[in-house]
Amino acid sequence: MNEPERGPAPKTGGLFHWFDQRTGIDEILRKSLDEPIPGGARFAYVFGSALLLVFISQVITGAFLALYYVPSADHAHTTVAYIMKQVSAGSFLRSIHAYGSSAMVILLLLHVTQTFLYGSYKGRRELLWLSGCVLFALALCMAFTGYLLPWDQKAYFATVVGTNIAGEIPFVGAWIKNAMRGGVDMGTLTLSRFFVAHVFLVPAAIFSFIALHVYMFRKAGAAGPIHEDPLTPKLPPETFYPRQVVIDALFALVIIAVLAVLSQFLPFDLGPKANPADTRYLPRPEWYYIPIFQYLRYWPSSLSFLGVVVIPGVVAFLFASLPFLDRRMERRPWKRPIAVGAYVFILLALFGLGAVSYRNDRLDPAFATQLLAQQKAAEEFSQQPFELEVSQTSLASSSAAPTDPLVVAGEKLYQAQSCGACHGDTGAGTAAAPKLAGIKTRFSAAALAALLRTPSAKMTAGGMTPVTLPDPDLAALIDYLNSLK
Amino acid sequence: MTPPITDATGAPTQHTRRSYLGWLLGLCSAGVSAILAVPLIRFALYPLTAKTTETKWSDIGPSADFQEITTPIQRLINVEQVDGWRKQISDKVVYVTKTTGGETCVLSSVCPHLGCSVQWAVAQHQFVCPCHGATFGIDGARLGGPAPRAMDRLDSKVEADRLIVRYRYFRQLVPGKEVIG
Ligand code: FES
């Protein structure tokens, strides 16, 4: 009865026909575009597809950023600075990606709020709702893990605080914290872990749960407006295509435009490189974590079990089990005062906590000046031209310059005799000749001298020529060789 | 485009209206995607358009020092090689000497045979390679031994009264001079 009318099969070209016979694309397109929406297309339904759009944008920009990014404590910040300051469109793409996480959180809130107020989780939609809850948590994981990757001051200190919070959990907290950090302290292993989570593990989970979520959605069907029966829709349906598609597309354009304008004219900042020794730095998470951050401040460590585990756990559990608890088919929000009241209370509480946090930071003069200084430092760093990182190997060779005069003399001889041409600049060995570093452990000075004067047959065959230096010089050379590590 | 198919009443069928809209939507999204692809492509191809690997010019010393040279002067230079977001600094030995025409030139000390460091032998008044005995004249010209070509001359110039050089590596064992980095 409510099946929407389908037009006759279009006369399609030979190529489309060929392709369709092999893929069934026509059927797939029809199925997805002709999805019935009871009561017709509405702006209120755009947030799900908008989330998908932003997620795809995050995947694409993220993959491109990985062309230059290196996840290691000594290169991460340089490579992000390189992206921001050198690479064409780098500042733009990174800003799209960074602002994209905020867009994601905003759209998530809108999507959940719409679902909640419309009671769209009712009517055999428990698994649809649960898969959505998992996606919500995964998106927050993405925001948390991605935040550390630039390895600037705010990223570093926000993650110190974030992992410390996990450490507050009784009994297992310390273990969880160390597992997240890859050790007791934050360091390059933390960065690798966050990178792997951000780039491989969490996205893989998100892909699977999006597939599940969309499948469950199609299985249950669109729930329609608040006065619709969620199980057996009565309102005349309208197909997804064309009106809902057009509305979704227009909203997508708005999101793209907002992200693009923000990224172009207000690029996301990059502060100075993380300095763990900076004890004055005031950590502040990204805005969407500020309310939680403020909430956790109210709990003394004696009550942390209650504040960090029990209360958030109960709230999350109640939230996830909503479709199991609220089993009536009533969808109008004003007829569901408890559920809607609780939801509005939590939203208001989060807004309130956020506002208190910002107000405290503004009113405390010490905080205000320090936060301003941090902001200034980040802006200044963003203005400075990019500085190439000096490669570690050359740093090592210049800082590890030998000081023993005999060794210094030996090094000169090593260079003058071109030993390095085959054995490597610092005796590291090359394809042509073995390494000399650590030779001390294999030969005594006397044995080495004898070998240098009259190389073995094997050495000669490899291109080694006898050393014809006077004895004192040979001794210096051997001293130098023995100093190589 | 074909004229719209109409039904008995003369109104376009739903299918046709939807087809036109489909084309329009498809075109618009293709257009938007094309615009969005521009920054992505520029980003990915940045290393092709900008110099991401280069050897900077290294300072040798005041050009006045090399006006009146009779024998090659050995100098240690700091070579800075840019590689994407990093740079490597290494010390290299070069010789400042004179061509037969009397102009200052800078030679790499790397032997074109197998890469040993060529030395100036004062007594013989020629360059001698300690490894397999290749010999070269004061201007680096090949005199004898296993080297396949003359010593490699580096690009050099005088800027603000200082002699500067661009250090390069050349392929060994070949008669022609081929830059390898
Ligand atoms: S390396 Fe110089 S002669 Fe063989």
Side-chain angles (χ1 to χ4, degrees):
Chain A
M1 272 276 284
N2 285 333
E3 269 296 289
E5 267 181 50
R6 286 193 183 165
K11 284 202 198 95
T12 42
L15 184 64
F16 186 82
H17 183 65
W18 182 92
F19 194 65
D20 181 42
Q21 279 184 320
R22 281 149 186 85
T23 57
I25 185 77
D26 192 46
E27 174 81 9
I28 295 174
L29 276 178
R30 277 165 177 281
K31 273 246 171 74
S32 41
L33 293 178
D34 289 343
E35 176 207 357
I37 306 172
R42 283 180 186 217
F43 175 75
Y45 307 151
V46 296
F47 303 118
S49 52
L51 275 169
L52 195 58
L53 170 92
V54 176
F55 177 67
I56 293 170
S57 153
Q58 295 297 82
V59 171
I60 295 174
T61 49
F64 274 80
L65 289 171
L67 282 175
Y68 298 99
Y69 179 72
V70 175
S72 111
D74 42 5
H75 304 315
H77 185 260
T78 312
T79 53
V80 176
Y82 184 66
I83 290 171
M84 291 297 286
K85 298 174 179 183
Q86 293 284 109
V87 183
S88 340
S91 155
F92 182 73
L93 281 195
R94 171 172 178 257
S95 302
I96 293 264
H97 193 75
Y99 284 130
S101 78
S102 290
M104 203 82 183
V105 175
I106 295 173
L107 290 170
L108 269 173
L109 280 180
L110 291 170
H111 187 54
V112 173
T113 305
Q114 188 268 325
T115 308
F116 198 96
L117 292 182
Y118 274 58
S120 311
Y121 52 86
K122 291 167 180 259
R124 298 185 196 136
R125 288 182 173 82
E126 298 89 349
L127 295 181
L128 174 59
W129 174 263
L130 279 179
S131 59
C133 290
V134 173
L135 282 169
F136 196 134
L138 289 172
L140 291 181
C141 279
M142 285 302 270
F144 180 64
T145 51
Y147 202 66
L148 175 68
L149 302 187
W151 202 253
D152 60 353
Q153 287 275 73
K154 66 175 184 175
Y156 178 88
F157 285 102
T159 308
V160 169
V161 175
T163 47
N164 273 339
I165 290 170
E168 291 282 300
I169 301 171
F171 309 118
V172 288
W175 186 85
I176 293 177
K177 179 173 100 176
N178 294 351
M180 280 164 94
R181 290 182 174 182
V184 177
D185 293 314
M186 295 260 301
T188 197
L189 294 182
T190 320
L191 192 52
S192 299
R193 270 153 203 263
F194 276 55
F195 179 73
V196 168
H198 188 76
V199 171
F200 300 106
L201 306 182
V202 186
I206 291 185
F207 277 116
S208 331
F209 275 91
I210 286 179
L212 204 64
H213 195 63
V214 170
Y215 173 77
M216 303 274 191
F217 171 66
R218 294 305 302 268
K219 179 89 175 101
I226 49 173
H227 40 83
E228 176 64 294
D229 178 346
L231 273 178
T232 42
K234 314 249 169 358
L235 290 171
E238 181 187 359
T239 51
F240 179 61
Y241 181 83
R243 282 222 310 137
Q244 189 67 51
V245 171
V246 172
I247 297 173
D248 284 5
L250 288 178
F251 189 58
L253 268 186
V254 171
I255 295 175
I256 292 170
V258 169
L259 281 178
V261 167
L262 262 182
S263 302
Q264 182 65 39
F265 298 105
L266 203 73
F268 204 82
D269 65 351
L270 175 71
K273 185 175 175 176
N275 173 14
D278 185 345
T279 49
R280 284 182 316 155
Y281 198 88
L282 281 180
R284 288 292 175 272
E286 194 63 332
W287 65 267
Y288 38 79
Y289 277 121
I290 290 271
I292 308 284
F293 180 71
Q294 180 67 21
Y295 161 82
L296 291 167
R297 284 188 177 164
Y298 294 119
W299 297 93
S301 56
S302 56
L303 288 176
S304 67
F305 183 63
L306 189 63
V308 181
V309 182
V310 177
I311 295 181
V314 167
V315 170
F317 179 79
L318 287 179
F319 186 76
S321 48
L322 182 69
F324 299 97
L325 301 173
D326 180 13
R327 302 204 61 85
R328 292 179 308 146
M329 286 299 137
E330 176 58 64
R331 293 178 55 189
R332 287 165 296 180
W334 55 91
K335 299 273 183 182
R336 303 186 287 132
I338 300 179
V340 174
Y343 186 77
V344 171
F345 171 78
I346 290 178
L347 270 194
L348 287 180
L350 290 177
F351 274 112
L353 284 166
V356 168
S357 172
Y358 281 112
R359 207 190 57 130
N360 287 353
D361 281 349
R362 239 196 11 257
L363 290 189
D364 185 319
F367 277 18
T369 41
Q370 174 64 17
L371 287 172
L372 195 69
Q374 290 173 194
Q375 181 63 30
K376 275 254 161 57
E379 274 162 25
E380 257 166 42
F381 179 81
S382 302
Q383 298 302 320
Q384 286 158 14
F386 176 68
E387 262 180 55
L388 289 160
E389 183 179 294
V390 177
S391 164
Q392 293 295 342
T393 48
S394 55
L395 261 189
S397 65
S398 61
S399 64
T403 43
D404 176 348
L406 259 188
V407 172
V408 175
E411 185 178 16
K412 287 231 175 66
L413 290 164
Y414 184 86
Q415 283 161 358
Q417 295 288 310
S418 299
C419 308
C422 296
H423 291 286
D425 274 349
T426 51
T430 66
K435 92 171 190 198
L436 299 175
I439 197 152
K440 193 177 183 174
T441 57
R442 282 177 280 150
F443 297 101
S444 68
L448 195 53
L451 265 183
L452 289 174
R453 286 268 186 249
T454 40
S456 70
K458 197 173 151 222
M459 287 160 70
T460 314
M464 175 76 186
T465 49
V467 178
T468 53
L469 294 167
D471 278 338
D473 284 357
L474 186 66
L477 181 62
I478 289 174
D479 266 9
Y480 170 67
L481 293 181
N482 284 341
S483 79
L484 294 174
K485 283 186 202 82
Chain B
M1 278 225 182
T2 49
I5 306 159
T6 53
D7 63 15
T9 60
T13 58
Q14 192 192 3
H15 158 234
T16 318
R17 253 188 293 127
R18 287 178 65 166
S19 286
Y20 281 137
L21 185 67
W23 276 106
L24 193 68
L25 271 175
L27 269 179
C28 288
S29 28
V32 171
S33 312
I35 294 170
L36 293 179
V38 171
L40 292 175
I41 293 169
R42 286 183 58 214
F43 183 83
L45 298 187
Y46 168 75
L48 276 64
T49 56
K51 269 197 187 151
T52 50
T53 49
E54 65 171 329
T55 307
K56 297 233 162 108
W57 288 83
S58 318
D59 182 64
I60 299 184
S63 56
D65 290 6
F66 309 106
Q67 291 302 336
E68 317 277 326
I69 48 177
T70 47
T71 59
I73 303 176
Q74 193 191 54
R75 281 294 162 106
L76 201 63
I77 55 165
N78 256 321
V79 180
E80 238 184 74
Q81 275 168 295
V82 176
D83 172 18
W85 42 266
R86 65 193 195 124
K87 66 178 173 194
Q88 281 173 300
I89 302 175
S90 45
D91 293 341
K92 296 291 166 204
V93 175
V94 296
Y95 289 100
V96 183
T97 178
K98 280 233 150 48
T99 62
T100 38
E103 66 178 291
T104 307
C105 73
V106 182
L107 301 175
S108 161
S109 70
V110 176
C111 179
H113 177 227
L114 282 174
C116 287
S117 201
V118 173
Q119 308 285 311
W120 176 251
V122 184
Q124 292 145 278
H125 203 70
Q126 61 185 18
F127 285 105
V128 178
C129 179
C131 290
H132 317 95
T135 50
F136 307 91
I138 184 165
D139 58 348
R142 181 175 168 266
L143 297 179
R149 61 168 188 265
M151 286 169 72
D152 298 305
R153 197 170 154 183
L154 300 162
D155 293 342
S156 62
K157 61 183 176 187
V158 175
E159 230 179 61
D161 287 333
R162 310 219 31 118
L163 182 62
I164 57 175
V165 65
R166 186 160 57 189
Y167 196 82
R168 285 288 164 83
Y169 289 96
F170 303 91
R171 193 174 303 287
Q172 283 147 15
L173 282 176
V174 293
K177 204 172 133 187
E178 275 175 60
V179 176
I180 51 173

